[in-house]
């Protein structure tokens, strides 16, 4: 089959799950990854013959709704490649904005904690971008801890990784004091589950995505309360947030003793990040 034919055939199998443009984009990326050729090389000589090992298996997984990142086993985040697989949340571009804000806003931090590290993308990016800062990371998922450890080792990121529950006993797992705590916790209300794209809803870990409708900011509250013991005086919390929960999170932080709370918008103008300081 030709290069064009391989891409067209895979795109056709994905069109029921995605619109035509996204299906073709995924097909091109998958064929490029599996063939070892760049997308530009595939498109420059589309009639060249192409035999791709593993393409049928990958096509079946993609057609079943599995995200491309799980199929190829990695994703790009803040200019680096991170391993990802089932059981670990796939890093999002908006989280890169959170990392960028912290890299510019916490230049003097001596010790920093990432709560709910998942693949380790935040912790590794901060450790590599802030070589003078001691970085720690926590997660409750064994799958996440395994993948994060692999990523830290592969990237040469010096991160102290521990198993801990963000909702209970976080301060006991980390007796150190931190200048900053960052978290991108679960924040999608259960009532939004049905409206999510199947490749996220049915394949990415619900543990890292969903929260009860009647307590949607539970992780933010728990981390803020733990932060009262874990942060140094004037230490800061950085959260990625659900856009519809911004006002509730700000009110909660004020009630928990935080000040100078700032809500920041993402590139699309949606509330996506909160930075606050312990009084």
């Amino acid at each position: 089959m030709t290069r064009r034919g391989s891409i067209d055939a895979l795109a056709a199998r994905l069109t029921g799950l995605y619109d035509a443009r996204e299906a073709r984009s995924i097909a091109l990326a998958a064929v490029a990854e599996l063939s070892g050729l760049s997308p530009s090389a595939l498109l420059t000589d589309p009639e060249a013959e192409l035999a791709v090992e593993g393409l049928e298996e990958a096509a079946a997984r993609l057609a079943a709704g599995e995200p491309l990142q799980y199929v190829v086993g990695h994703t790009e985040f803040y200019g680096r490649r991170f391993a990802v697989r089932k059981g670990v949340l796939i890093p999002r571009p908006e989280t890169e904005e959170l990392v960028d804000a912290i890299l510019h806003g916490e230049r003097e931090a001596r010790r920093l904690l990432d709560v709910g590290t998942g693949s380790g993308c935040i912790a590794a990016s901060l450790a590599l971008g802030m070589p003078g800062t001691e970085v720690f990371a926590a997660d409750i998922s064994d799958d996440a801890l395994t993948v994060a450890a692999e990523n830290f080792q592969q990237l040469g990121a010096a991160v102290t990784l521990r198993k801990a529950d963000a909702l209970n006993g976080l301060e006991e797992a980390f007796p150190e004091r931190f200048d900053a705590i960052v978290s991108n916790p679960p924040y999608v209300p259960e009532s939004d589950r049905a409206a999510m794209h199947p490749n996220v809803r049915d394949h990415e870990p619900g543990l890292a995505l969903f929260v009860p409708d009647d307590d949607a900011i539970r992780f933010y509250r728990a981390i803020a309360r733990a932060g009262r013991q874990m942060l140094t005086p004037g230490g800061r919390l950085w959260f990625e947030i659900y856009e519809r929960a911004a006002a509730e999170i700000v009110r909660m932080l004020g009630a928990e003793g935080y000040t100078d709370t700032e809500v920041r918008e993402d590139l699309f103008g949606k509330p996506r990040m909160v930075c606050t300081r312990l009084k």
Side-chain angles (χ1 to χ4, degrees):
M1 186 178 291
T2 66
R3 296 174 178 180
R4 188 202 306 274
S6 297
I7 296 167
D8 288 348
L10 179 51
R13 294 180 66 171
L14 301 181
T15 301
L17 282 173
Y18 308 94
D19 64 40
R21 184 173 181 177
E22 187 173 6
R24 186 163 185 81
S25 176
I26 293 171
L28 176 60
V31 173
E33 181 68 33
L34 294 169
S35 67
L37 297 170
S38 68
S40 60
L42 291 170
L43 296 174
T44 299
D45 191 5
E47 300 309 318
E49 289 296 314
L50 182 68
V52 182
E53 185 176 351
L55 181 58
E56 178 53 38
E57 179 189 354
R61 292 172 65 184
L62 291 166
E66 193 170 345
L68 174 65
Q69 295 91 334
Y70 288 162
V71 174
V72 301
H74 61 80
T75 192
E76 299 297 315
F77 181 86
Y78 211 74
R80 298 182 178 91
R81 175 169 288 190
F82 285 82
V84 290
R85 52 182 177 265
K86 215 166 182 63
V88 177
L89 193 70
I90 298 168
R92 268 50 176 190
E94 54 265 30
T95 307
E96 294 179 312
E97 297 180 49
L98 176 63
V99 166
D100 195 64
I102 296 168
L103 287 173
H104 288 88
E106 295 291 347
R107 296 179 186 275
E108 304 303 317
R110 293 171 297 174
R111 188 177 290 132
L112 183 148
L113 171 64
D114 173 27
V115 179
T117 197
S119 66
C121 61
I122 293 176
S125 299
L126 295 177
L128 294 167
M130 304 167 67
T133 302
E134 191 178 3
V135 177
F136 293 71
D139 209 290
I140 196 172
S141 162
D142 290 330
D143 289 336
L145 291 167
T146 298
V147 172
E150 291 176 10
N151 282 322
F152 297 153
Q153 181 177 19
Q154 179 66 29
L155 293 168
V159 179
T160 300
L161 182 63
R162 295 176 191 160
K163 185 171 185 176
D165 185 352
L167 295 175
N168 185 33
L170 186 63
E171 60 271 40
E172 296 169 7
F174 292 90
E176 298 85 358
R177 291 296 173 264
F178 298 92
D179 299 301
I181 296 174
V182 56
S183 184
N184 175 22
Y187 57 62
V188 181
E190 278 286 350
S191 57
D192 284 4
R193 184 190 289 262
M196 296 184 75
H197 197 284
N199 72 333
V200 176
R201 181 189 64 225
D202 299 340
H203 294 276
E204 296 197 55
L207 181 69
L209 286 169
F210 299 108
V211 288
D213 283 40
D214 61 358
D215 193 14
I217 68 166
R218 62 192 309 192
F219 283 93
Y220 300 104
R221 185 186 305 107
I223 294 168
R225 288 179 176 173
R228 294 187 307 201
Q229 297 182 46
M230 301 173 70
L231 286 167
T232 57
R236 294 203 286 184
L237 291 179
W238 295 81
F239 288 135
E240 182 174 321
I241 65 169
Y242 194 48
E243 60 195 72
R244 299 207 301 265
E248 187 180 3
I249 291 170
V250 169
R251 287 193 297 270
M252 177 275 294
L253 290 169
E256 295 294 336
Y258 291 84
T259 188
D260 299 331
T261 301
E262 179 185 358
V263 178
R264 302 186 186 184
E265 297 180 343
D266 62 18
L267 293 175
F268 301 100
K270 296 180 179 180
R272 185 61 66 184
M273 188 191 318
V274 163
C275 175
T276 192
R277 186 183 302 277
L278 184 66
K279 289 182 181 177

